[in-house]
Amino acid sequence: MKYLNILLLSALTFTLAACNKGNIKTDYDTATNFSKFERFYLVPSRQSTMRDAQITDMELNRVERAIASQVKARYREVFNPLEADIIVSYYLDSGKREGVSLSGNYSGSANNGSWRAKAKETDSQTPELIIDINSNRSGKMLWRGSVELGQESKAKPEERQTQYEKAIAKLLATIPQ
């Protein structure tokens, strides 16, 4: 029974880790009234580091379209930065992270058996999207958020576009009202 509990706990841990694919982190200026903003201007903030991960210009365009469509749901886009209340900028980080992956199996019956676990070092390159919102008037950063963009290499371009839009919508939903 003890081993069965360990097996169930391990399965739950792996399931929860898999569900945490879109890890979101945010920070913002608590003194800012975000509801007063109406217009935004979108610009890439700096050179993305994703060139190392061989991301294509088409993939970068998908991310930019997803950001624009999600920000447009809240603010009106302007094409002259002088007319904008806020500047929305973004960049992609390669997200190169090192970690440990556990795998294992249980053999035997419910009352008698053994659990074998293997640990191996992993090297992940989950792309991370960082979005900044700055005041156009003062230039001060008002909000920063990041989300891991789980990239399924076998997914069709349309499916990747949808994945990006969902992840970015979750991220932008954390902007205070």
Side-chain angles (χ1 to χ4, degrees):
M1 187 67 170
K2 179 179 175 182
Y3 293 110
L4 185 60
N5 287 340
I6 292 172
L7 176 65
L8 291 174
L9 182 61
S10 298
L12 178 64
T13 302
F14 291 127
T15 303
L16 290 175
C19 292
N20 196 22
K21 195 171 190 176
N23 191 12
I24 292 177
K25 298 176 219 149
T26 61
D27 192 13
Y28 60 92
D29 180 3
T30 57
T32 300
N33 179 4
F34 288 88
S35 65
K36 71 180 180 181
F37 302 125
E38 297 175 4
R39 299 167 303 210
F40 80 96
Y41 181 77
L42 180 65
V43 62
S45 62
R46 57 181 124 144
Q47 182 65 32
S48 295
T49 61
M50 287 304 296
R51 297 284 180 213
D52 300 336
Q54 299 177 338
I55 193 167
T56 66
D57 286 338
M58 289 182 290
E59 208 67 26
L60 287 170
N61 289 336
R62 283 185 194 101
V63 170
E64 185 167 325
R65 280 194 309 271
I67 293 169
S69 73
Q70 295 303 316
V71 176
K72 282 179 190 178
R74 185 166 183 169
Y75 306 108
R76 186 170 51 91
E77 185 173 21
V78 293
F79 298 100
N80 179 352
L82 299 175
E83 297 173 0
D85 300 317
I86 55 174
I87 304 296
V88 178
S89 58
Y90 71 93
Y91 67 98
L92 287 165
D93 182 39
S94 64
K96 187 173 173 99
R97 291 169 183 78
E98 296 175 4
V100 175
S101 171
L102 293 175
S103 63
N105 61 3
Y106 179 82
S107 61
S109 66
N111 295 327
N112 187 14
S114 64
W115 172 258
R116 291 191 178 144
K118 294 180 185 176
K120 70 175 187 174
E121 291 184 26
T122 61
D123 192 12
S124 169
Q125 280 210 331
T126 303
E128 184 177 24
L129 172 67
I130 293 97
I131 298 177
D132 293 332
I133 296 179
N134 296 297
S135 167
N136 195 24
R137 194 165 27 132
S138 69
K140 181 173 97 172
M141 182 183 290
L142 305 173
W143 182 89
R144 170 173 274 186
S146 67
V147 61
E148 290 179 3
L149 298 176
Q151 250 184 318
E152 178 58 48
S153 59
K154 294 182 180 180
K156 294 179 182 177
E158 298 86 3
E159 293 167 343
R160 289 195 305 267
Q161 183 73 40
T162 302
Q163 289 172 351
Y164 295 156
E165 287 178 10
K166 286 179 182 178
I168 293 165
K170 275 180 157 177
L171 175 61
L172 295 178
T174 66
I175 298 172
Q177 293 292 332

